[in-house]
Each structure stands twice: as structure tokens, then as C-alpha cells.
Amino acid sequence: MTSWEISASGVSQYKIIMDATVSGTTVTVAAKWRRDSYGYSSFSSNATWKIVIDGTTYSGTWDFSGPAGGSISTKTIATRSKNVGSQSSASVSVTVDFDVSPGSGTISKSVTVVIPPPAAPSNLLVAWVSDAQQTLNWNRNDTYTSVVVQRRYGTGPSWSQWQQVGVAAGNAYTYTDKTTYADRRFQYRVAGVAAGGQSSWSGTAFIDTTPAAPTGVAAARSGSDIVVSASGTPPYATSYDVRDGAATVASGVSLPWTDVAVDPGIPHTYTVRGVTAAGLAGVWSSASNTVQLIAPPNPPSGLVPNGTVLPSDQDVVFQWVHNPVDSSPQSAFELQWRLDAGAWTTVTGTTAQSAAVTVPVGALEWQVRTKGADPSFSDWSAIATGTVIDRPGVAVVQPADTWDASVLTVEWTWFQAQSRPQSAWQLELIRVSDGVTVESRNGSGDTSSLQLSTRLTEGDWTVRARAATGDVWSLWGTETFTVVFDPPGEPVLTGVWDESQGGVALVVAGEQYGVAVLDGGVWYAEFGD
């Protein structure tokens, strides 16, 4: 509150007072008077008063009296208030005119008005128009010059930052956002703007656009039911619709979902779509795998061996992949094999997807069929083939027990009972003293000898070789030998006079190595390379 006072005209002991109070945009003015302490007699009088606030005049009369002598406390003549709206200042004045002494007086002043921001909008609502357009509405709780609209997307701790997406001009109560898109949750807030600034934010409201299609939809047999699941779901879907083929079999359910009303004799393939909390349905997913509760499996696949050569001294391990239609595991198998287009031999079993069989030499054919939950076997698989042969043999023929050179050429022999050619080979040189393999060589084709690059030293060595035809390798052929170098013979030195050289030609064991020349009574030997 701010107070001003003046003396009444001509009488200084009588004061006219104006109190001004500003609360928000409301200005309140009080007109008062006071008589100082003097020993006057009692009196009575009428006064006219006038209060002016921001151009509005309020007036009236006041009947007062005063006792003789002593002081009189301040008395209020009149009080008036006015809301001055969006102005930042207001003029105020008080005039008091007494019909008797002490006369009259006027006080005129200006007061500052602090305009508060407007009240915030409330009851914000968002209505879905399309994935690209949302309409906002709110309650106006004040008079605005514009309304600011902000938006963010996401959910929980993963919300994006607030961003301004528009301004609604004037005293608006609605706004249309045309910048949204599918598979998002958008959250909005608004604030009113007036002369006092921007209001606080309204409460928030969110809208979900069309959910994306779930991914990784799968169907799995569970007893007599089928469980439908998805590995990837849209983040803003709160429930799901499920179709079996073209028929919707569930609405508003959670995933995984179990289909309990299943016809066991027909195939079932499912698609799923997400639904938002507001009931907006998304895009249907790709189809799941097909499940049939009770049906014979498809023929087995992935047959091994097929098209390979196999040794007769090992069991042939037949392997396959069970292919169920109804997701049930393999419960039984029948396998049949034959050699050289002869009679079939049958092998049976239960859940294993392999079988080891001793098979003699010959051209092999085999096939398999499996059973799941259905009592019937699948059709026979395609026929796989193979060739069973005797394992080939390799023998090292060089070196023998000893070797007297530093360079070694290894030689071996090849034998295969069915006269199949050698197609690959391996060779290793091992130092016996420490067991270290100092050289290892391999190659393809029918080579039967190879010169090693290692320079041999005296001592014991082992060389071993093996070879293959197709996928069948021989056992290692091994030979251990000792390297011993023969010592050289004693040299024989002879001299022959060479007239052309004027000296004696020196010959060691038949080879001339130089010429001895007499020079100043001393013989010098000159040797070539």
C-alpha cells in the first residue's frame, strides 16, 4: 500500500490522505482525513469526496463531526476499487471538499500495476484424425492473445525433448497438428499468452498413431492347443487381434495367446496386429509358420552321406532331419539300404535322427521315413547314394634302413582293391631324437615320389606317407631309417712338369688343382677354384 497526504487549503492541521493498493490488475483507493492535535471546539460538517481510478470517477458525501479539543485519529471517508486490465500503470486521485473550514484538497498520483500471467488452460484433449493429423482442444481459463503448443514422443523414461509445433493465434481453444506419423505416441501440452506473459503449462494429453505390424510371429503346438507369439511388438499397442487364416479368432488379447478351439485335422497359420488404448488397430503381421496338430510329417531331408566314398572297415553313419507338419518331434523311423541295386535291408528306431550300420563294399543306396504324433509314417525321402570301398594301402619303399645322403626323395606304393586311383597324398618327416615333425607336405593327384627340402643330418629319422581316393584315406605307411654318411678316401697327390707354365702341375686323385712355380729359389703353389 502507498499513502500520500496534503493539508486542506488554508488550514494546515487538517490533512487529506489517499491510500492506493495494487493487487494483480485491481487498484483500490481509499480517501481519508485527519485533524492534528489542537484545542478547538467541537464541530460537525459535511464533505463531498471524489475518487478517480484510471479515468473512472466515484463520488459521494460524508457526514462527520469532531469533539472539542484533543486529537482525532484518521478516519476513512470512502474506498473504491477497479480492475485496470492489461495496463502497466494507472492514474489515481482523491478530492475532498468540506462545506466548512478546513476547506478542500486534491491528491493525484500514478501507481504501477504488475500484470500477472494468465491462468493456464486446462482439460487438454487430443483427437485422432489420421496418422498425419491430430486435433487438440482445451478449456480457456483466461483471455489469451495466443496459445503455444508443444509436443514430444515416446513413453516413460524414453520421452524425447519437448518441441514447439505451433502457435494458435488469438484467444484460441483448439489447434490441429499436421506433422505426426504412424507408430508413435505423441504427448502434448499448451500454455496461454497474454500481456502478463505466458501461463504455466496445462496438463498433458497423448495420442497413439497406427501401430506397426508385429514381427517374428510364430505358432507352436502345445498339447491339443496352439500358442501364438511374436518376437517384436509395437511399443504403444496395449492389446492384439489374432487371425487364423482369414478369420479373426481373438480380439483385445495379450501375447503370447493360446488358441484352444483348434481343429486338429487342418493347418493353422496366424497373423497378428496391435491395437492402441484408444482402439486404433494397426497393420497385420506377416504370416506365422503353419501348424497342424495331428498330421504325418513331410519326408526327411538333409540326408548324409550322399554322393561320397566310404570305407568298408567303419560303420556308415546315416543321418537325416525330421520334418514335422504338426510341430511334433520324431517318435520313430524306418531306414532301408541296399548295395548294387539288390534287396533292401531295413533298420528301425525311435527318436534318434541317425543310425550306424556295417555296410560291405558296393554301390550304396538308402532312404528313410519318420513318424511324429500322427500314427502314420511320412513318405520315403529321396534316395541318397554312396560308394563303399576297401580302405587303400600305402607303403614307403624309399628310404630303407639307412641313407647316406643329405637329400632324400621319398617313394611309396599305392594299392586299392577296387582299383580306384589315388587322388590325394600327405607326407611327413619326423626327427626321432625329439619327435618333431620338421617337414609336412601334401598334394593332389597320383604322385608316388617327392624330394624333401630338408637337408638331413646323421641320426635317426622317420618318414610316413598316406594317400586317399575320394574321401577315404589309407593308414599311414611308416619307415624309420638312419642317416650315415660314408667317409671320403685318402687323397693322392702327384706332380707333373708343365713346360708352358714353367712349373709343376699338382694333381689330386686325378684332378688338377694348381701349378707349383719356382721363384727365386722358392716354390709357390697357385690353385684355381
Side-chain angles (χ1 to χ4, degrees):
M1 181 180 69
T2 304
S3 295
W4 299 271
E5 67 177 43
I6 61 172
S7 298
S9 59
V11 185
S12 62
Q13 67 268 31
Y14 291 95
K15 307 297 183 184
I16 296 170
I17 301 170
M18 178 174 68
D19 289 342
T21 303
V22 180
S23 177
T25 59
T26 299
V27 178
T28 301
V29 174
K32 301 179 180 181
W33 83 283
R34 187 182 76 246
R35 190 183 77 171
D36 290 341
S37 177
Y38 290 93
Y40 291 107
S41 60
S42 63
F43 64 90
S44 64
S45 179
N46 291 323
T48 59
W49 59 269
K50 182 172 64 175
I51 297 174
V52 181
I53 305 174
D54 192 37
T56 300
T57 301
Y58 309 90
S59 61
T61 60
W62 182 58
D63 185 17
F64 71 97
S65 61
S71 62
I72 298 176
S73 61
T74 301
K75 292 187 177 182
T76 299
I77 299 174
T79 301
R80 293 294 183 269
S81 299
K82 180 184 178 182
N83 189 325
V84 298
S86 60
Q87 298 179 176
S88 59
S89 64
S91 60
V92 294
S93 68
V94 165
T95 301
V96 179
D97 185 12
F98 297 94
D99 59 357
V100 295
S101 179
S104 64
T106 299
I107 301 173
S108 297
K109 296 293 181 180
S110 178
V111 294
T112 299
V113 179
V114 179
I115 304 171
S122 61
N123 196 30
L124 176 63
L125 300 174
V126 186
W128 185 88
V129 179
S130 69
D131 284 342
Q133 182 172 324
Q134 319 303 323
T135 299
L136 285 68
N137 290 280
W138 56 85
N139 289 344
R140 296 173 295 191
N141 294 320
D142 213 326
T143 300
Y144 310 126
T145 57
S146 63
V147 177
V148 177
V149 181
Q150 285 193 347
R151 183 188 78 193
R152 64 180 180 176
Y153 63 87
T155 184
S158 62
W159 284 111
S160 67
Q161 297 296 315
W162 285 106
Q163 291 185 331
Q164 183 169 312
V165 294
V167 176
N171 193 26
Y173 62 89
T174 186
Y175 178 81
T176 298
D177 182 8
K178 297 182 179 180
T179 62
T180 57
Y181 43 92
D183 196 33
R184 282 291 186 274
R185 170 169 289 175
F186 294 100
Q187 189 179 57
Y188 293 89
R189 64 182 183 181
V190 296
V193 179
Q198 180 174 303
S199 74
S200 58
W201 292 105
S202 67
T204 60
F206 72 87
I207 194 75
D208 295 327
T209 53
T210 302
T215 57
V217 176
R221 181 175 180 270
S222 177
S224 60
D225 303 330
I226 297 176
V227 178
V228 181
S229 62
S231 59
T233 55
Y236 314 114
T238 57
S239 63
Y240 298 89
D241 298 337
V242 183
R243 291 189 308 191
D244 182 0
T248 300
V249 293
S251 297
V253 299
S254 299
L255 294 180
W257 173 77
T258 301
D259 192 356
V260 296
V262 181
D263 184 342
I266 62 173
H268 299 272
T269 305
Y270 296 88
T271 52
V272 178
R273 67 179 179 183
V275 181
T276 68
L280 182 62
V283 181
W284 288 104
S285 69
S286 299
S288 72
N289 56 298
T290 298
V291 175
Q292 189 166 343
L293 291 184
I294 302 177
N298 289 322
S301 60
L303 274 61
V304 176
N306 190 11
T308 59
V309 180
L310 308 162
S312 61
D313 58 354
Q314 289 182 349
D315 286 346
V316 176
V317 179
F318 299 102
Q319 300 178 72
W320 61 90
V321 176
H322 174 64
N323 288 324
V325 171
D326 55 9
S327 300
S328 61
Q330 176 181 303
S331 62
F333 72 85
E334 284 187 356
L335 181 149
Q336 58 182 20
W337 62 273
R338 64 182 179 180
L339 289 175
D340 302 324
W344 291 101
T345 298
T346 301
V347 178
T348 62
T350 55
T351 60
Q353 295 184 46
S354 64
V357 179
T358 301
V359 179
V361 171
L364 173 67
E365 294 178 300
W366 71 282
Q367 59 186 356
V368 64
R369 62 181 183 175
T370 59
K371 184 188 295 187
D374 192 271
S376 300
F377 275 104
S378 69
D379 291 335
W380 286 101
S381 69
I383 292 178
T385 63
T387 303
V388 181
I389 64 170
D390 290 319
R391 188 179 295 278
V394 166
V396 176
V397 296
Q398 181 176 292
D401 294 337
T402 60
W403 188 255
D404 65 352
S406 61
V407 177
L408 172 62
T409 297
V410 179
E411 298 180 2
W412 65 88
T413 60
W414 162 265
F415 173 77
Q416 204 284 316
Q418 286 76 45
S419 299
R420 292 179 63 90
Q422 173 183 300
S423 59
W425 54 269
Q426 290 182 346
L427 193 65
E428 291 182 351
L429 177 64
I430 303 167
R431 189 166 50 230
V432 174
S433 61
D434 55 11
V436 173
T437 300
V438 296
E439 186 172 347
S440 181
R441 306 283 289 275
N442 62 78
S444 60
D446 58 358
T447 298
S448 60
S449 66
L450 179 73
Q451 180 175 304
L452 300 180
S453 60
T454 301
R455 292 289 181 174
L456 300 179
T457 59
E458 288 191 334
D460 293 330
W461 299 82
T462 295
V463 65
R464 65 177 191 165
R466 69 171 185 167
T469 179
D471 299 319
V472 180
W473 285 87
S474 71
L475 300 177
W476 288 100
T478 303
E479 182 67 35
T480 298
F481 61 98
T482 302
V483 175
V484 178
F485 298 122
D486 294 334
E490 292 186 5
V492 177
L493 178 63
T494 59
V496 178
W497 177 258
D498 187 339
E499 187 66 32
S500 65
Q501 297 291 331
V504 177
L506 301 178
V507 178
V508 179
E511 297 290 336
Q512 181 174 328
Y513 284 86
V515 177
V517 179
L518 181 62
D519 183 7
V522 180
W523 289 94
Y524 292 93
E526 297 180 356
F527 295 91
D529 294 335

